[in-house]
Amino acid sequence: MGIGFLKFIVHNDAIKSDPEEIYGWRVYALACSACFGGMLFGMDSGIIGGVLTLTQFKETYGLSKLIGVPLADLTANIVTTLQCGCFVGALSAGFFADRYGRRLSLMAAAIFAIVGTIMQAAASGEIAVIYVGRFIAGLGVGAASMVTPLYVSENAPRAIRGALTGIYQLFITAGIMLAFWINYGSALHISGPAIYIVPLAMQGLPALCMFVCMFFCHESPRWLARKDRWDEASSILSLVRALPPTHPYVAEELTEIQEQLEHERRLIGNATFKVLMKEMWTIPGNRKRALLSIGLMICQQMTGTNAINYYAPQIFKNLGLNGTESGLFATGIYGVVKMVMCACFLVFAADSLGRRRSLLWTSIAMGSAMLYVAIFVRVAPPKAGTPVSPAGYVALVCIYLFASFFQWGWGPVCWIYVSEIPTARLRGLNVALAAATQWLFNLVIARAVPNMLTTMGNAGYGAFLFFACACYSMFLFVWFLVPETKGMALERMDDLFGVTELVKKLEDEESVHEGRDEKNSSAQQLEISPAK
């Protein structure tokens, strides 16, 4: 991407002062290689919703014999087994990413996802194998969801860190879009058991791509610095920035990394899990960052976006679209809208509009779209066998608008924010905590939505009303609690959250103690000096 175009679309101070060489192809190739982990997330999320609507799958796994709440329960169990694995994978990935590195952790995540995918495709009617396969795949998906934004943010130049980290969300939406169209294509052109086996097997394709690509990538220089492998950190940072190791920009970035690590070690010296947890929750600036990360991920799931991702065919049916193919086609268009709008956000707004502003206006916009859908379903519920009414088409458009608004705020911005605000020592733990929170509430939403659509009023209008209220309340959360981080270096986040002031205070106290010690030492020397 040319520097002239970047300066045209990115409006922050960093882009004006940084060397042009650092925006070369390497940073984009590195980000895309890691972000296949996001496509893995999207494919697994999108494919299962369509597979659950296929007659052959229902007959093979016993769904065709159930109706009402029992059907909703079994459907939710199949979907949420993946989220259970994702929660465990995201929570444990922080430890492995900090101990063994970001790159190896991503490769391990890909292996888990591939094994789980093979089990799902080869289950042959055994629902238990589906459960185990989805759980194992979830371990890989969850680990990748934690490590990918962490790895990208630690390698990205500060001026375009938002856009590069946001590529993760773009790959999620691309995976969802591909999943929807794979389901639609399978329904049209494949018959027999292969109609659902092919989509289930395709879930492993992003994992395979990520595993191969990571062979050609390097470890994060910031992780190497944490391990005191400064020569390797300098060499890789020089390579990624396309500048010689002696260049002032590379030297300055290494110095900032070193200074931040020294400041953190002055607060608490070692880095055991117990010490890091104490550092996260007892230092006010770190505690605020951890709570913000948790809050943002809870809010992201409360928008209802994954309710649509997992159960889009059923939701479109509730809005009046009849037939499996019609629902899958509308779902495919929904995936295209998500991907296109996410790409537009990353190109034109990620590092220009700002994190805070993006979250604020999209909260109101998403809430309004969901509110209209809720009112439509309550006042004029669709009837089976009748064409979609004009008001129904507006409701369908509102679902697409909701997807667009989500990609301009709560989709990419949450991942950008939680990966850039932590300190270097706590970044892995903080992102793991955020990712695990995201998967926990993803599981809650995925488990609850089938029952919500069945029990909360005609066509589930209460579910849409619930998500609308949640979106409106998120505006207040951002307005009062979320600061702006656009264009700031990772090593300057401590200034924003007050940790630097704490370090200065400790240094001043040490200086006072040292001064007192020197005075006491001088006084003792005078006392023991022989009289003349």
Side-chain angles (χ1 to χ4, degrees):
M1 189 177 293
I3 187 63
F5 181 68
L6 274 178
K7 289 183 177 179
F8 175 73
I9 63 173
V10 177
H11 303 286
N12 58 46
D13 294 335
I15 194 74
K16 300 174 184 177
S17 59
D18 291 345
E20 296 182 3
E21 293 85 350
I22 70 174
Y23 302 109
W25 63 270
R26 283 187 177 87
V27 292
Y28 299 101
L30 182 147
C32 290
S33 297
C35 284
F36 277 111
M39 185 175 288
L40 176 63
F41 179 179
M43 289 275 279
D44 281 20
S45 300
I47 278 179
I48 194 62
V51 166
L52 289 170
T53 67
L54 298 174
T55 303
Q56 289 82 352
F57 184 85
K58 290 180 179 179
E59 293 176 351
T60 303
Y61 290 95
L63 279 74
S64 59
K65 301 176 183 178
L66 303 174
I67 59 172
V69 174
L71 175 60
D73 287 338
L74 181 57
T75 299
N77 290 340
I78 293 173
V79 171
T80 55
T81 308
L82 180 86
Q83 279 75 20
C84 292
C86 290
F87 175 76
V88 176
L91 202 59
S92 58
F95 168 78
F96 290 98
D98 282 344
R99 182 162 186 174
Y100 300 108
R102 313 334 190 186
R103 177 174 170 267
L104 288 178
S105 297
L106 285 173
M107 296 175 75
I111 293 173
F112 275 104
I114 291 170
V115 172
T117 297
I118 293 172
M119 292 185 68
Q120 292 176 65
S124 300
E126 296 292 334
I127 192 70
V129 179
I130 287 284
Y131 287 149
V132 174
R134 286 186 63 75
F135 182 84
I136 293 174
L139 294 175
V141 175
S145 73
M146 176 264 153
V147 182
T148 295
L150 177 67
Y151 179 75
V152 175
S153 69
E154 289 187 342
N155 283 278
R158 57 184 177 176
I160 58 171
R161 187 177 60 248
L164 289 181
T165 307
I167 289 176
Y168 176 68
Q169 181 67 24
L170 177 64
F171 271 63
I172 292 176
T173 59
I176 292 172
M177 183 201 70
L178 289 174
F180 290 161
W181 287 109
I182 287 170
N183 288 335
Y184 181 64
S186 297
L188 283 181
H189 303 295
I190 302 177
S191 60
I195 196 172
Y196 65 84
I197 291 175
V198 170
L200 290 176
M202 292 295 289
Q203 292 177 108
L205 183 60
L208 182 62
C209 292
M210 182 171 69
F211 184 84
V212 173
C213 287
M214 293 314 295
F215 269 113
F216 302 97
C217 294
H218 299 281
E219 186 53 78
S220 162
R222 284 176 168 81
W223 180 82
L224 291 170
R226 282 192 58 207
K227 298 299 181 181
D228 289 323
R229 293 159 62 177
W230 289 99
D231 290 340
E232 293 178 69
S234 176
S235 176
I236 291 175
L237 188 63
S238 171
L239 180 65
V240 174
R241 298 290 181 262
L243 294 170
T246 56
H247 193 280
Y249 183 88
V250 175
E252 180 183 358
E253 190 166 359
L254 283 172
T255 300
E256 290 178 348
I257 295 171
Q258 185 176 17
E259 288 177 350
Q260 188 197 26
L261 288 172
E262 288 177 354
H263 285 174
E264 292 168 4
R265 287 164 180 166
R266 289 181 70 87
L267 291 173
I268 298 179
N270 55 32
T272 64
F273 178 79
K274 181 179 178 180
V275 168
L276 290 177
M277 289 298 290
K278 180 180 179 182
E279 184 175 343
M280 174 178 283
W281 297 108
T282 59
I283 297 175
N286 291 339
R287 182 171 61 248
K288 181 179 180 181
R289 284 182 270 199
L291 292 174
L292 271 177
S293 299
I294 292 172
L296 286 170
M297 286 307 183
I298 293 174
C299 288
Q300 187 191 62
Q301 293 307 303
M302 290 298 108
T303 61
T305 182
N306 279 319
I308 301 176
N309 291 343
Y310 293 128
Y311 305 109
Q314 182 179 344
I315 289 172
F316 283 117
K317 181 180 179 181
N318 284 13
L319 294 177
L321 286 180
N322 298 308
T324 300
E325 292 180 6
S326 297
L328 290 176
F329 180 78
T331 304
I333 299 299
Y334 175 80
V336 172
V337 170
K338 286 174 70 75
M339 191 185 75
V340 171
M341 295 308 297
C342 184
C344 291
F345 171 79
L346 296 180
V347 172
F348 297 108
D351 289 296
S352 301
L353 185 61
R355 309 346 178 197
R356 176 180 162 86
R357 192 179 301 174
S358 297
L359 295 175
L360 285 171
W361 80 266
T362 54
S363 299
I364 300 299
M366 289 189 302
S368 300
M370 280 290 192
L371 182 60
Y372 177 86
V373 174
I375 293 173
F376 162 73
V377 174
R378 175 65 181 87
V379 174
K383 297 180 181 179
T386 61
V388 181
S389 65
Y393 280 114
V394 175
L396 293 173
V397 170
C398 282
I399 292 292
Y400 293 132
L401 288 175
F402 171 86
S404 302
F405 298 142
F406 182 79
Q407 299 309 322
W408 275 74
W410 288 90
V413 171
C414 289
W415 290 108
I416 294 169
Y417 202 86
V418 302
S419 63
E420 69 183 2
I421 62 172
T423 62
R425 277 160 58 84
L426 295 176
R427 189 166 292 123
L429 188 60
N430 193 95
V431 176
L433 182 64
T437 302
Q438 190 264 357
W439 283 114
L440 177 61
F441 281 83
N442 190 319
L443 186 156
V444 170
I445 294 298
R447 184 64 185 82
V449 164
N451 297 79
M452 292 170 72
L453 294 174
T454 302
T455 61
M456 293 181 70
N458 291 335
Y461 79 89
F464 298 106
L465 185 61
F466 170 82
F467 292 129
C469 295
C471 289
Y472 286 134
S473 65
M474 284 149 46
F475 177 90
L476 300 176
F477 171 77
V478 176
W479 181 268
F480 290 108
L481 297 174
V482 179
E484 183 57 72
T485 59
K486 179 184 71 174
M488 295 184 65
L490 293 181
E491 286 68 39
R492 292 290 174 261
M493 295 297 171
D494 285 354
D495 298 339
L496 181 63
F497 289 93
V499 176
T500 301
E501 294 301 318
L502 177 60
V503 173
K504 290 179 180 178
K505 181 179 179 181
L506 291 176
E507 291 175 346
D508 291 341
E509 290 177 355
E510 288 180 1
S511 298
V512 171
H513 287 310
E514 289 175 359
R516 290 174 179 173
D517 291 341
E518 290 178 0
K519 289 180 180 179
N520 292 336
S521 176
S522 299
Q524 290 175 0
Q525 289 178 1
L526 288 173
E527 289 176 3
I528 63 175
S529 295
K532 294 183 180 179

